[in-house]
Amino acid sequence: MAEEKATAAGFFSQNAVVSALRDTYLSFSERREALGLSNPGTVENIAREVQKDVFLTNFMFTGLRADLTKAFSVAPLFQVSHAFSMGSQGLPPYTFAALFGTSKVFLQGNIDNDGQLSARANYRWNNAFVTKTNAQIAPGPGQAMLQLDNDYTGKDFTASLKSLNPSFLDGGLTGIFIGSYLQSLTPSLAVGLEAIWQRSALNAGPETAISYCAKYKGSNWIASAQLQEQGALSTSYWRRLSEKVEAGVDLNLQAASGMGGRGGGLMGGGSRKEGTTTLGAKYDFRASTFRAQVDSSGKLSCLLEKRVAPVVQLTFAGELDQFKQQAKIGLAVSIEAAGDDLVEQQEKAAGSTAPPPPF
């Protein structure tokens, strides 16, 4: 047995073809290393600086809201929170949440007064590979959701595979599967693609779609674009105007029929021609952050986050729809409670070289 293994190892080490392929791969790797390329991020977050940092879409709310958070530990991270809301659209009156995180594991669970449960479980296999799981269970039929994400972060690329409600229970594969790859070509330019395969039921045929994207990073600005083969185009531009001021613009154009053509389904839809442009800005002050945005549909929105005390933060949100003559406002207070020993834990965590939890 040992002699057979030695023979096989000798074949791979002395074979001319294998040696040539190995030398070619090593030469290519050395040239890539010499370019000094950095990781470009993911296709899903290709416009993160505009859509998630500057725009207030993910922060907008209406009505009254109060968040009470109690932190018990920093390393490992462990905290619980109680969220109350009144007169809000989309937010339940009460939600309890708890989270736990280490350098390898991140766990989070939420449950509201209606019994809707959502949970996240992320695991870091190594410094490059992370698996993320997101599950939701709600009262009533057809309200369950399961999402599995696998992200591999290389030195100059990111590969992701996502599945939404995958199932073999009906005798075949159903669900939505999304694969994406983003590669840095130069220190400033990255290109990638995203492929979608979905099948809602066995009696319906599968539907596919492919989109292409590019991202260019300057000294103080970032531009990105994503084009779907059906004709939808999304572009964004982010710029840092000063140390505390950022601005961004996002353009979405749709000039083709929905994905899937005949099948309709989740990605289906009729022919439509429309476009939306959104312009936003973000101002960071010493103890507050102000965001404002306006879009071509006539909506003007603003959000102010003000820390009035080390553990108390006030948030004001407002939206005015010029065309529909509608106005929405929201007011929230957030209180963070922590013990005296957490300060020492934070100081120790700041000097630690351990990676943060895989959020």
Side-chain angles (χ1 to χ4, degrees), residues 166-228:
S167 176
F168 291 94
L169 299 180
D170 297 331
L173 181 62
T174 60
I176 302 175
F177 300 87
I178 304 174
S180 62
Y181 183 86
L182 189 62
Q183 171 72 57
S184 293
L185 300 181
T186 69
S188 300
L189 177 63
V191 298
L193 58 85
E194 182 178 71
I196 303 176
W197 185 95
Q198 80 117 12
R199 190 176 189 179
S200 58
L202 292 181
N203 56 4
E207 303 174 8
T208 60
I210 298 179
S211 62
Y212 309 91
C213 60
K215 181 178 182 180
Y216 191 89
K217 183 177 181 180
S219 58
N220 60 351
W221 60 273
I222 299 175
S224 64
Q226 189 168 9
L227 175 65
Q228 297 180 0

Side-chain angles (χ1 to χ4, degrees), residues 2-273:
E3 184 177 350
E4 293 179 357
K5 292 183 178 179
T7 304
F11 171 80
F12 284 104
S13 61
Q14 299 176 8
N15 184 274
V17 177
V18 175
S19 298
L21 292 175
R22 183 179 64 251
D23 294 341
T24 302
Y25 174 77
L26 293 176
S27 176
F28 179 72
S29 300
E30 291 176 357
R31 293 183 180 182
R32 286 177 60 182
E33 190 73 22
L35 292 175
L37 303 179
S38 60
N39 183 270
T42 62
V43 173
E44 182 180 6
N45 294 322
I46 194 170
R48 177 184 59 83
E49 292 80 7
V50 174
Q51 297 177 356
K52 295 187 178 181
D53 292 346
V54 175
F55 288 175
L56 54 91
T57 306
N58 295 330
F59 305 92
M60 192 63 192
F61 67 97
T62 58
L64 301 177
R65 197 183 75 193
D67 299 328
L68 306 177
T69 303
K70 171 66 175 180
F72 295 93
S73 175
V74 175
L77 178 63
F78 177 57
Q79 67 180 39
V80 298
S81 64
H82 305 267
F84 304 88
S85 65
M86 183 173 61
S88 177
Q89 296 180 354
L91 293 178
Y94 173 74
T95 302
F96 173 79
L99 63 86
F100 173 84
T102 65
S103 59
K104 282 188 170 294
V105 177
F106 175 74
L107 304 174
Q108 182 180 15
N110 303 329
I111 186 169
D112 60 24
N113 57 284
D114 293 329
Q116 180 172 337
L117 173 66
S118 61
R120 294 173 57 195
N122 303 344
Y123 185 79
R124 177 182 282 117
W125 301 94
N126 52 46
N127 292 333
F129 185 48
V130 175
T131 297
K132 302 178 181 179
T133 304
N134 189 352
Q136 294 183 6
I137 301 176
Q143 300 297 319
M145 188 274 291
L146 175 64
Q147 179 176 319
L148 303 174
D149 297 1
N150 294 278
D151 297 333
Y152 187 89
T153 305
K155 292 183 178 180
D156 56 4
F157 72 94
T158 299
S160 302
L161 179 62
K162 178 187 299 184
S163 59
L164 182 63
N165 288 338
S167 176
F168 291 94
L169 299 180
D170 297 331
L173 181 62
T174 60
I176 302 175
F177 300 87
I178 304 174
S180 62
Y181 183 86
L182 189 62
Q183 171 72 57
S184 293
L185 300 181
T186 69
S188 300
L189 177 63
V191 298
L193 58 85
E194 182 178 71
I196 303 176
W197 185 95
Q198 80 117 12
R199 190 176 189 179
S200 58
L202 292 181
N203 56 4
E207 303 174 8
T208 60
I210 298 179
S211 62
Y212 309 91
C213 60
K215 181 178 182 180
Y216 191 89
K217 183 177 181 180
S219 58
N220 60 351
W221 60 273
I222 299 175
S224 64
Q226 189 168 9
L227 175 65
Q228 297 180 0
E229 61 180 9
Q230 292 80 9
L233 174 65
S234 300
T235 62
S236 67
Y237 178 79
W238 172 89
R239 188 177 186 90
R240 182 176 294 278
L241 303 179
S242 67
E243 182 181 357
K244 298 183 178 181
V245 181
E246 306 173 23
V249 59
D250 187 85
L251 173 64
N252 290 281
L253 297 176
Q254 175 72 49
S257 61
M259 301 181 190
R262 295 177 299 169
L266 182 63
M267 296 186 294
S271 178
R272 51 179 183 167
K273 297 180 180 179

